[in-house]
Amino acid sequence: PAPANAAARPLTLREATQRLQSADPDEITEGVDALTRIGTAEAVAPMVTLVRSGLADELLDLVVTKLGILGRPEAIEELGSLLRHRRPAVRLRAVTSLSQIRDDRSRPLIESGLRDSNAGVRAEAARALGRINARASLALLQRAFERNIPEAAESIGALGDAAAADRLLESVGRAPLSLLLPGFRRFLDRRDLTDPVKLRIVEQLVSRSPTTQVKAFLQEWVRELPLADRSRARARAELAIRQINDAPGAPR
């Protein structure tokens, strides 16, 4: 008989790998969880073999997610292959998992997700490029936003310079503010951008769209600034908050 404390003892790499060969989904899940906790390069190959063996949708989704949590570069090749999977949910999870692996090979694979046939996958690819700080992808993100991937705006705000902010400002009045404001918020929250750049964003937002939606946006930003902030951008935002009437100017 097994020792009384066997259930509490973490599985070894061998034991976890053996669980993957079970016909019981619960045992497979136990093995995948154990391999994820082990977290070494040797834990990747059994999970890749499991993926290639043909899995039920729920288990496949789990394994693709766990490969991202592992964060091992040994999983990149398989995750890249999964970007061509028939199910959008798998492709989306593959993009997310690639963004959790610190390796230069991940970025071009994530960029390919911007061309996916599924809007959810394209959106996740745009967000993922922001999460991995892919400044080299900025021009691609700008084109993606202009080609109807609105989630790219937030990543542009996280990665772009003053010129990128001006380019995004040109869309005010043409694109819904609800799509643009997350990007401008990321610009305004960054510590590496100068006050003149932020001031221009506030001024252009107010002049191009003096609406209650912009007012609420500025109120939220100012409310979360440190009390010691005495920037010109903050002062201009506070002035706009006082000047924009709550009645006219329906949000766009």
Side-chain angles (χ1 to χ4, degrees), residues 64-114:
V64 176
T65 298
K66 295 293 188 177
L67 285 173
I69 295 172
L70 268 173
R72 301 292 313 188
E74 293 81 4
I76 289 177
E77 182 179 354
E78 184 63 22
L79 290 170
S81 297
L82 289 170
L83 293 174
R84 299 185 294 275
H85 195 273
R86 60 178 177 80
R87 283 200 298 123
V90 173
R91 302 198 301 271
L92 189 150
R93 283 177 169 81
V95 169
T96 303
S97 291
L98 283 165
S99 73
Q100 295 172 286
I101 300 174
R102 296 184 178 182
D103 191 286
D104 291 340
R105 293 172 292 165
S106 291
R107 180 176 63 82
L109 291 170
I110 295 171
E111 287 179 344
S112 72
L114 294 173

Side-chain angles (χ1 to χ4, degrees), residues 202-210 236:
V202 174
E203 288 179 335
Q204 288 296 307
L205 270 178
V206 173
S207 64
R208 292 170 183 257
S209 184
R236 182 65 184 91

Side-chain angles (χ1 to χ4, degrees), residues 86-173:
R86 60 178 177 80
R87 283 200 298 123
V90 173
R91 302 198 301 271
L92 189 150
R93 283 177 169 81
V95 169
T96 303
S97 291
L98 283 165
S99 73
Q100 295 172 286
I101 300 174
R102 296 184 178 182
D103 191 286
D104 291 340
R105 293 172 292 165
S106 291
R107 180 176 63 82
L109 291 170
I110 295 171
E111 287 179 344
S112 72
L114 294 173
R115 303 188 296 272
D116 195 274
S117 60
N118 180 267
V121 178
R122 296 194 299 271
E124 176 59 13
R127 290 189 292 260
L129 289 169
R131 290 198 301 270
I132 68 172
N133 197 32
R135 294 188 184 275
S137 302
L138 178 60
L140 190 61
L141 284 164
Q142 289 173 317
R143 291 195 297 273
F145 178 78
E146 293 161 3
R147 294 173 183 173
N148 202 29
I149 304 180
E151 294 79 8
E154 188 167 357
S155 291
I156 292 170
L159 305 172
D161 54 10
D166 286 341
R167 184 167 174 175
L168 195 61
L169 282 165
E170 292 173 1
S171 297
V172 177

